[in-house]
Amino acid sequence: MDNPHLWLRLDLANGHHIGPGKIALLEAIRAKGSITAAARHLGMSYRRAWLMVENMNDALREPAVTSAQGGAYGGGTVLTDVGEQIIQIYHSVEGLTLTSAHQELRAIARLGRDRS
Amino acid sequence: MDNPHLWLRLDLANGHHIGPGKIALLEAIRAKGSITAAARHLGMSYRRAWLMVENMNDALREPAVTSAQGGAYGGGTVLTDVGEQIIQIYHSVEGLTLTSAHQELRAIARLGRDRS
């Protein structure tokens, strides 16, 4: 059997949420250096990726993503320290859950009917 | 600040998922004794609730929900042992995550802009 997986959505104190979609987008922006390239990498429209970034930045005290002005390629997009923190904390919570609830996650996974 | 909340979706070994919507539906069926009353309680259509139950039962080795045939009120719907187990395990995972990742959940919650 595969190891258990889980899907976490974490709440900000103001009622906004950070889930796996936003984490994947932050990681793609970090890897690809622009919202355009990140959106293409994830198979989503630029507009949808841009709205997710705007929504996330509006919900935070400090933005997670910002313009890389003056870069060698005339701009692009980079993560801020807050953006890096969000990714790191999210994966910490995942790891802590997988470790602390390992038995429970395996127990629920085993209730599933086998693929046939 | 409120205590952190989180939203978990757990995977069955066959790729199906159990998330907070299905847990809320199981708990409402347990409390109300029928899919009709549970759907009304949750503000969803009977059809949507029924499809969620069918989808869940199909994904499991043994059903989570079954008919209470021959009951004093001519039927209704009850949870099986598997349905009870799913609710209990889900809340265990929630509790273990909230405990083991308490610092991280508070840290991410605090990154949110204050409500204004």
Side-chain angles (χ1 to χ4, degrees):
Chain A
M1 198 179 83
D2 299 335
N3 283 320
H5 295 106
L6 79 160
W7 199 103
L8 280 167
R9 197 180 74 184
L10 310 181
D11 288 5
L12 304 179
N14 57 23
H16 286 82
H17 315 289
I18 302 284
K22 286 175 186 157
I23 296 298
L25 179 57
L26 290 178
E27 289 176 332
I29 290 169
R30 180 170 61 183
K32 302 295 178 182
S34 75
I35 296 177
T36 306
R40 191 181 309 126
H41 178 69
L42 296 172
M44 65 168 68
S45 70
Y46 173 78
R47 178 174 164 74
R48 180 163 147 71
W50 183 85
L51 284 172
M52 282 173 73
V53 166
E54 286 289 296
N55 175 271
M56 196 162 17
N57 280 350
D58 282 350
L60 295 165
R61 286 178 197 281
E62 296 171 41
V65 168
T66 191
S67 297
Q69 287 169 352
Y73 297 93
T77 309
V78 294
L79 298 194
T80 64
D81 285 352
V82 164
E84 295 286 352
Q85 276 179 60
I86 289 170
I87 292 173
Q88 185 251 305
I89 296 172
Y90 186 88
H91 290 308
S92 293
V93 177
E94 273 185 326
L96 288 161
T97 303
L98 289 169
T99 303
S100 68
H102 187 71
Q103 295 303 323
E104 289 76 7
L105 293 169
R106 286 185 70 91
I108 207 161
R110 280 193 298 262
L111 295 177
R113 188 193 293 277
D114 289 337
R115 288 183 196 88
S116 59
Chain B
M1 197 178 83
D2 299 336
N3 283 319
H5 296 104
L6 79 159
W7 200 103
L8 281 166
R9 198 180 73 185
L10 310 181
D11 287 6
L12 303 180
N14 56 22
H16 286 80
H17 314 289
I18 302 285
K22 285 174 186 157
I23 296 299
L25 179 56
L26 290 178
E27 290 176 331
I29 290 169
R30 181 171 59 184
K32 302 295 178 183
S34 75
I35 296 177
T36 307
R40 191 182 307 126
H41 177 69
L42 295 171
M44 65 169 66
S45 70
Y46 173 77
R47 178 174 164 75
R48 180 163 148 70
W50 183 85
L51 285 172
M52 283 173 71
V53 166
E54 286 289 295
N55 175 273
M56 196 163 15
N57 280 350
D58 283 350
L60 295 165
R61 286 179 199 279
E62 297 171 40
V65 167
T66 191
S67 297
Q69 287 168 350
Y73 297 93
T77 310
V78 294
L79 298 193
T80 64
D81 284 352
V82 165
E84 295 287 351
Q85 276 179 59
I86 290 170
I87 293 173
Q88 185 252 306
I89 296 172
Y90 185 89
H91 290 308
S92 292
V93 177
E94 274 185 325
L96 287 161
T97 303
L98 289 169
T99 303
S100 67
H102 187 72
Q103 295 302 323
E104 288 76 7
L105 292 169
R106 287 185 69 91
I108 207 162
R110 279 193 298 262
L111 296 175
R113 190 193 289 279
D114 289 337
R115 289 183 195 85
S116 58

